[in-house]
């Protein structure tokens, strides 16, 4: 019931809201937020930390020709589409195929690239030669992609299972590691990866299919769409379009294998930026969570039933629901409800602090109740009132009791902050994903990321324990 009501509200507000440019008042001088995939080389990928690729060059060249600015958000394919639906971005360019289903909800530009689906297997695999060999096996495809739709459409016929993943890099990794036997992806992307020695080979003919288009939300950003088409036509006319394609497709340079040390050195700047974001978002969220948790914790032991009820409801809701649900809700859902894009920091802090606050409330309540009731009685028999007794006798002891649990909670929050990568928050693991999405060195990159988390958490624990010893003695 509540869910239906909320759904209706979302729909209604979604239909009525259009804070992005909706009218044809031109694009000149404006900045548009454009969502894209994490990695879909040669269309979008990172080189030396910078986003490049055919899509990136195209949108930037068009923006320059048409006199507008773009701010690119590397979100992942499915997340980019969700961000577009909830107007968190103005447009999406992500090697996105123009399909009939998508045309119901998005408006597409003129097509700018012909594509189609193909299947690839591990280069070392000699068993899978066609769809017939897939019976009883698992294949991977990207969540929300045309490749996924195609794989699912023939899955029953050939008797295989489709597992959906969010990123090209993890899809390829699962095939190489043997968790899946094949991947369904767009052929230009597979071809490019194979030329780069990504450890795969194609075994079937490509399925001719969708062309790529730039997308905006249906009926919105019409000026931006018109400018894209106009700019694309100009780039085609003056030869820049062909130049962009040639730059990436003519002779894709094979990746030069480099050592682990080199990977560490090269990925360090981006990872440190990620670590800084992780620390800051955790720090702010912890402060807010402490405030919430203290208030709710005291409300829980209050003698007022209403206050107790409110606090219990708060704790139950946020302890009883996954963090990721709230991250999506605050970033995508809330934006539709209020008709305003929600800043990613605000969404991140809300998510972490409400969840953390619920746990801290329980820590606070537990600690206060752990203080020997005799302490309160003794203090009151000495003539102090209830409030003063709490403040001077019970709470100081409770603080000592709760400190280790609070340190624990801080560490949990730091680790949980990695979930925010799902909404495109540029924290440590997100940066790691961006790196392996580009170089396909998943294991080594994750090892570096894990080591950084470990060192950061060890340092934080040492610091917190030191503070605990200093202030709680
Ligand atoms: N072309 C495919 C689609 O639109 C895949 C796009 C992508 O993975 N970025 O579904």
């Amino acid at each position: 019931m509540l869910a239906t009501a909320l759904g209706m509200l979302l729909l209604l507000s979604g239909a009525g809201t259009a804070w992005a440019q909706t009218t044809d008042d031109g694009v000149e001088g404006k900045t548009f937020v454009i969502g894209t995939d994490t990695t879909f080389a040669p269309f979008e990928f990172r080189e030396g930390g910078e986003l490049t690729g055919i899509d990136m060059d195209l949108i930037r060249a068009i923006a320059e020709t048409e006199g507008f600015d773009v701010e690119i958000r590397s979100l992942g394919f499915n997340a980019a589409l969700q961000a577009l639906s909830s107007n968190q971005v103005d447009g999406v360019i992500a090697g996105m195929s123009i399909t009939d289903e998508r045309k119901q909800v998005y408006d597409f530009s003129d097509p700018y690239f012909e594509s189609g689906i193909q299947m690839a297997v591990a280069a070392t695999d000699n068993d899978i030669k066609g769809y017939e060999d897939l019976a009883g096996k698992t294949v991977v495809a990207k969540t929300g992609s045309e490749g996924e739709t195609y794989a699912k459409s023939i899955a029953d016929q050939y008797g295989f299972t489709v597992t959906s993943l969010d990123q090209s890099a993890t899809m390829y990794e699962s095939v190489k590691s043997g968790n899946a036997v094949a991947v369904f992806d767009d052929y230009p992307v597979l071809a490019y990866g194979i030329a780069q020695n990504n450890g795969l080979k194609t075994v079937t003919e490509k399925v001719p299919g969708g062309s790529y288009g730039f997308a905006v939300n249906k009926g919105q950003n019409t000026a931006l769409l018109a400018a894209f088409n106009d700019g694309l036509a100009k780039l085609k006319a003056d030869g820049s379009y062909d130049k962009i394609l040639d730059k990436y497709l003519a002779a894709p340079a094979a990746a030069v294998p480099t050592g682990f040390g080199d990977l560490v050195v090269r990925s360090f700047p981006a990872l440190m930026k990620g670590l800084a974001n992780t620390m800051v978002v955790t720090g702010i969220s912890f402060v807010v969570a402490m405030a919430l948790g203290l208030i709710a914790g005291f409300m829980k032991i209050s003698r007022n039933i209403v206050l107790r009820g409110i606090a219990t409801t708060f704790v139950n809701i946020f302890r009883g629901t996954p963090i990721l649900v709230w991250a999506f809700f605050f970033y995508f859902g809330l934006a539709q409800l209020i008709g305003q894009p929600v800043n990613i920091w605000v969404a991140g802090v809300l998510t972490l602090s409400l969840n953390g606050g619920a746990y801290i409330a329980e820590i606070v309540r537990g600690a206060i109740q752990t203080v020997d009731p005799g302490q309160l009685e003794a203090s009151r028999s000495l003539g102090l009132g209830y409030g003063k007794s709490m403040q001077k006798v019970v709470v100081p002891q409770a603080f000592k009791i709760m400190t280790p649990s609070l340190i624990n909670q801080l560490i949990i929050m730091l680790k949980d902050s990695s979930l925010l990568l799902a909404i495109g928050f540029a924290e440590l693991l997100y940066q790691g994903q961006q790196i392996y999405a580009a170089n396909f060195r998943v294991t080594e990159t994750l090892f570096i990321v894990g080591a950084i988390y470990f060192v950061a958490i060890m340092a934080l624990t040492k610091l917190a324990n030191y503070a605990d010893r200093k202030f709680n003695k």
Side-chain angles (χ1 to χ4, degrees):
M1 180 61 206
L2 193 67
T4 339
L6 197 65
M8 298 263 295
L9 215 61
L10 276 172
L11 272 178
L12 281 176
S13 61
T17 53
W19 57 81
Q21 272 76 34
T22 46
T23 48
D24 282 292
D25 52 2
V27 294
E28 224 150 306
K30 291 190 179 134
T31 301
F32 294 96
V33 182
I34 308 295
T36 190
D37 201 345
T38 329
T39 239
F40 199 54
F43 295 91
E44 39 267 336
F45 60 104
R46 281 186 196 262
E47 219 165 37
E50 292 305 311
L51 271 170
T52 50
I54 297 173
D55 284 348
M56 299 300 103
D57 284 11
L58 266 185
I59 189 82
R60 285 179 185 134
I62 290 172
E64 202 180 311
T65 320
E66 300 290 316
F68 62 89
D69 277 318
V70 286
E71 190 191 314
I72 311 279
R73 298 248 172 95
S74 169
L75 297 170
F77 185 64
N78 192 38
L81 297 198
Q82 288 183 40
L84 185 59
S85 297
S86 55
N87 291 321
Q88 289 281 36
V89 296
D90 296 299
V92 164
I93 187 158
M96 180 175 174
S97 312
I98 305 172
T99 66
D100 287 338
E101 293 80 44
R102 287 180 186 158
K103 277 200 236 163
Q104 316 270 325
V105 276
Y106 307 119
D107 287 332
F108 282 98
S109 70
D110 296 333
Y112 65 84
F113 195 88
E114 289 296 323
S115 188
I117 309 295
Q118 201 169 10
M119 178 173 100
V121 299
T124 48
D125 186 333
N126 293 319
D127 300 331
I128 311 282
K129 298 198 176 66
Y131 303 144
E132 308 74 38
D133 304 320
L134 293 176
K137 309 259 192 285
T138 298
V139 308
V140 284
K142 198 182 287 177
T143 314
S145 73
E146 227 197 338
E148 182 193 43
T149 312
Y150 180 72
K152 285 190 171 157
S153 74
I154 59 165
D156 279 350
Q157 188 187 343
Y158 293 100
F160 61 85
T161 318
V162 184
T163 297
S164 301
L165 294 172
D166 274 351
Q167 291 191 31
S168 302
T170 34
M171 292 196 307
Y172 300 169
E173 195 64 18
S174 7
V175 174
K176 281 190 288 174
S177 64
N179 289 320
V181 294
V183 49
F184 283 76
D185 207 351
D186 292 10
Y187 78 79
V189 176
L190 286 175
Y192 187 85
I194 290 166
Q196 295 232 303
N197 305 324
N198 70 353
L200 300 183
K201 65 177 180 198
T202 47
V203 283
T204 51
E205 286 304 304
K206 59 194 188 209
V207 185
S211 314
Y212 295 162
F214 167 74
V216 295
N217 219 352
K218 194 147 197 74
Q220 296 186 26
N221 277 308
T222 41
L224 175 61
L225 193 61
F228 185 95
N229 283 334
D230 189 65
L232 180 64
K234 283 182 191 153
L235 295 185
K236 279 189 170 162
D238 74 4
S240 335
Y241 171 84
D242 286 329
K243 257 192 223 137
I244 293 177
L245 289 196
D246 279 352
K247 175 171 156 198
Y248 294 98
L249 296 180
V256 199
T258 52
F260 181 71
D262 197 56
L263 178 67
V264 174
V265 172
R266 277 211 252 165
S267 54
F268 226 60
L271 293 180
M272 285 302 114
K273 230 190 278 165
L275 179 63
N277 285 341
T278 293
M279 291 295 206
V280 174
V281 81
T282 309
I284 300 174
S285 303
F286 187 70
V287 172
V288 179
M290 273 302 285
L292 282 172
L294 282 172
I295 295 170
F298 277 101
M299 280 165 75
K300 280 205 88 163
I301 51 160
S302 131
R303 281 172 286 188
N304 181 324
I305 185 165
V306 179
L307 292 183
R308 273 204 319 270
I310 296 174
T312 306
T313 311
F314 164 72
V315 170
N316 285 346
I317 289 179
F318 288 99
R319 221 174 42 170
T321 42
I323 296 182
L324 211 44
V325 171
W326 290 104
F328 286 135
F329 176 76
F330 287 126
Y331 195 56
F332 299 126
L334 190 63
Q336 294 203 355
L337 275 178
I338 61 174
Q340 283 287 329
V342 176
N343 181 287
I344 197 152
W345 282 87
V346 174
V349 168
L350 276 173
T351 305
L352 291 179
S353 60
L354 286 166
N355 178 274
Y359 283 96
I360 292 175
E362 283 302 303
I363 294 172
V364 170
R365 180 196 58 76
I368 293 173
Q369 288 177 340
T370 308
V371 177
D372 184 355
Q375 296 278 328
L376 182 61
E377 280 161 33
S379 154
R380 298 207 63 179
S381 67
L382 287 174
L384 282 148
Y386 174 79
K388 267 272 171 288
S389 303
M390 281 302 254
Q391 188 192 337
K392 296 274 180 212
V393 179
V394 178
V395 173
Q397 298 184 56
F399 262 107
K400 273 190 197 166
I401 298 172
M402 68 177 97
T403 311
S405 306
L406 289 176
I407 296 174
N408 238 344
Q409 186 58 35
L410 173 64
I411 290 166
I412 290 172
M413 282 174 76
L414 191 141
K415 289 188 288 186
D416 282 349
S417 68
S418 65
L419 290 169
L420 298 179
L421 72 88
I423 57 170
F425 183 81
E427 50 75 54
L428 179 53
L429 185 54
Y430 172 93
Q431 300 285 6
Q433 285 201 334
Q434 295 281 328
I435 291 166
Y436 68 63
N439 64 15
F440 297 102
R441 294 167 72 171
V442 181
T443 320
E444 292 156 283
T445 312
L446 282 177
F447 180 80
I448 302 172
V449 168
I452 296 175
Y453 270 115
F454 182 76
V455 171
I457 288 170
M458 281 326 251
L460 195 68
T461 314
K462 285 255 172 317
L463 192 74
N465 287 339
Y466 172 76
D468 180 27
R469 277 200 303 277
K470 197 145 173 91
F471 301 115
N472 278 341
K473 279 277 128 66

